């Protein structure tokens, strides 16, 4: 470590020069907190993340408020952050969600599919194909309005009800999302069971099915401590979009074994150590996660946040 609390930079071969971090703490993180964070605190959180240099900050979800009460204030929150000079994607499961997001001027939306029937039912009250049919008009209308569409795919590696998920099952739903018009895909390891070989196998299978690497992002949860190893494998394959959550907040309310996402600080520590640009100020980001942890009343699970915030003690 350098004297100013940054990792030493030692580049490795065959890695991208720059990575875009898709920050999901305000959405994936806060949707899973037992306590509902006040709207003003969420707005300040998003503002601080932007000040720390994050350029894509998933702000909230326009889902049914009974399904995710923690994000029921989407209508109040979005106008409080929409002036920020960053991309602010929001989750929309259906046309009702899209109407709500468009009415507030959202320019980036994300639909969220599942590779497994069990999770499609638990998360969307639909079969996999019914959910795709629900997304079809959402994506069509968003594209007609030149709104950017991300397609999440959950349970790409394992499912708490169904066990390991066959690669061909994931490829089928990914190609369906692409055919519907998604600009970008995010491969979700919702319960954090992936390992690097599995990640590389899935990425290669997607390429063979005609899905180029430059439209693929990775979304790892860190349940088994594999998120960084999986990320490095994805980077070696050419992926340059990585989802992460400030302070390691997160999980999914409809998958009980899901824990926090890969912590953005842990990701930035590794990327900067490799000499990969992110535009993120690690000190500012860590201070934000320490501030948020105080509001949530529990320490951040991020190893980097803990190490950096205790280094003077
Ligand atoms: P449903 O009960 O089947 O809804 O839920 P419905 O279509 O039958 O409609 C029932 C009522 O809900 C209607 O009202 C609708 O208007 C209303 P009524 O006519 O009875 O008065 N409604 C809505 N209200 C507000 N906003 C809406 C909306 N839609 C319907 N958008 C539904 C279906 C999709 C709505 C529900 O299942 C839902 O909201 N699910 C969201 C679950 C969720 O947000 N999960 C977490 C995000 S996914 C995730 O975290 C994974 C990810 O991180 C990647 C990874 O890690 O794998 C992305
Ligand atoms: Mg997630």
């Amino acid at each position: 470590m350098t004297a100013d609390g940054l990792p030493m930079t030692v580049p490795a071969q065959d890695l991208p020069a720059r990575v875009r971090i898709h920050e999901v703490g305000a959405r994936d993180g806060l949707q899973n907190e037992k306590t509902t964070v006040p709207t003003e605190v969420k707005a300040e959180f998003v503002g601080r993340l932007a000040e720390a240099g994050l350029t894509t900050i998933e702000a909230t979800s326009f889902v049914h408020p009974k399904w995710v009460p923690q994000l029921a204030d989407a209508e109040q929150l979005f106008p409080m952050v929409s002036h920020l000079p960053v991309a602010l994607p929001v989750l929309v499961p259906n046309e009702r969600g899209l109407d709500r997001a468009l009415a507030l001027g959202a320019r980036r939306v994300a639909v969220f599919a599942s590779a497994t029937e069990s999770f499609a039912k638990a998360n969307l009250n639909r079969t996999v194909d019914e959910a795709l049919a629900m997304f079809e008009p959402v994506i069509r209308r968003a594209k007609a309005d030149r709104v950017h569409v991300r397609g999440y795919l959950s349970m790409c590696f394992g499912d708490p009800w169904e066990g390991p998920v066959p690669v061909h099952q994931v490829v089928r739903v990914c190609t369906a999302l692409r055919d519907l018009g998604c600009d970008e895909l995010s491969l979700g390891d919702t319960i954090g069971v992936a390992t690097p070989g599995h990640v590389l196998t899935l990425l290669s299978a997607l390429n063979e099915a005609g899905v180029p690497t430059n439209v693929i992002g990775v979304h790892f949860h860190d349940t088994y401590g594999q998120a960084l190893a999986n990320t490095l494998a994805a980077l070696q394959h050419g992926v340059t979009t990585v989802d992460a959550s400030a302070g390691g907040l997160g999980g999914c309310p409809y998958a009980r074994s899901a824990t926090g996402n890969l912590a953005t600080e842990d990701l930035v520590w590794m990327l900067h150590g490799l000499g990969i640009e992110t535009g993120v100020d690690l000190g500012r980001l860590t201070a934000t996660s320490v501030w948020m942890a105080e509001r949530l009343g529990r320490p951040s699970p991020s190893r980097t946040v803990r190490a950096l915030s205790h280094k003077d003690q």
Side-chain angles (χ1 to χ4, degrees), residues 37-313:
V37 175
T39 312
E40 306 75 56
V41 174
K42 292 178 182 173
E44 186 172 345
F45 183 43
V46 173
R48 283 173 176 248
L49 293 170
E51 276 172 22
L54 289 152
T55 53
T56 307
I57 304 174
E58 209 165 83
T60 188
S61 297
F62 290 91
V63 297
H64 196 295
K66 282 196 188 134
W67 283 65
V68 186
Q70 295 90 334
L71 304 184
D73 60 353
E75 257 81 12
Q76 290 73 47
L77 176 66
F78 196 81
M80 291 168 77
V81 296
S82 56
H83 64 282
L84 294 168
V86 295
L88 293 165
V90 293
L91 263 59
V92 296
N94 52 17
E95 288 196 85
R96 174 99 172 79
L98 181 70
D99 290 339
R100 292 173 58 202
L102 292 182
L104 296 172
R107 300 302 301 158
R108 282 180 174 246
V109 299
V111 295
F112 43 106
S114 169
T116 66
E117 292 297 341
S118 303
F119 188 65
K121 203 76 193 161
N123 201 40
L124 294 162
N125 197 25
R126 301 282 186 281
T127 66
V128 169
D129 288 339
E130 284 167 355
L132 290 171
M134 179 166 74
F135 301 147
E136 190 274 328
V138 175
I139 299 169
R140 181 169 32 80
R141 286 181 46 205
K143 299 300 302 167
D145 233 353
R146 298 191 183 186
V147 167
H148 183 275
V149 183
R150 160 176 264 226
Y152 274 108
L153 188 62
S154 288
M155 304 299 174
C156 288
F157 301 91
D159 173 286
W161 300 277
E162 300 180 21
V165 178
V167 168
H168 67 82
Q169 203 168 307
V170 181
V171 171
R172 179 183 86 82
V173 189
C174 276
T175 48
L177 286 170
R178 277 287 284 166
D179 291 346
L180 287 175
C182 286
D183 298 293
E184 123 181 305
L185 300 174
S186 173
L187 306 178
D189 182 17
T190 321
I191 57 170
V193 293
T195 45
H198 199 163
V199 172
L200 291 171
T201 300
L202 176 57
L203 289 169
S204 297
L206 284 167
N207 293 157
E208 275 163 37
V211 183
T213 305
N214 65 4
V215 303
I216 300 175
V218 287
H219 179 105
F220 296 120
H221 286 255
D222 207 21
T223 323
Y224 293 90
Q226 304 299 299
L228 268 185
N230 291 333
T231 301
L232 184 58
L235 297 179
Q236 282 164 339
H237 189 87
V239 168
T240 57
T241 298
V242 180
D243 298 4
S245 159
L249 296 169
C252 178
Y254 294 100
R256 268 187 297 130
S257 45
T259 59
N261 294 80
L262 167 60
T264 313
E265 290 84 354
D266 297 6
L267 173 65
V268 170
W269 182 274
M270 180 180 81
L271 295 177
H272 289 185
L274 286 162
I276 298 173
E277 280 178 41
T278 65
V280 173
D281 179 327
L282 186 56
R284 276 191 158 188
L285 180 61
T286 302
T288 299
S289 291
V290 169
W291 169 86
M292 193 44 145
E294 281 164 10
R295 257 106 220 118
L296 294 169
R298 56 175 181 76
S300 161
S302 159
R303 307 284 273 269
T304 300
V305 169
R306 287 188 199 185
L308 289 179
S309 55
H310 290 135
K311 77 178 164 40
D312 298 330
Q313 292 166 19

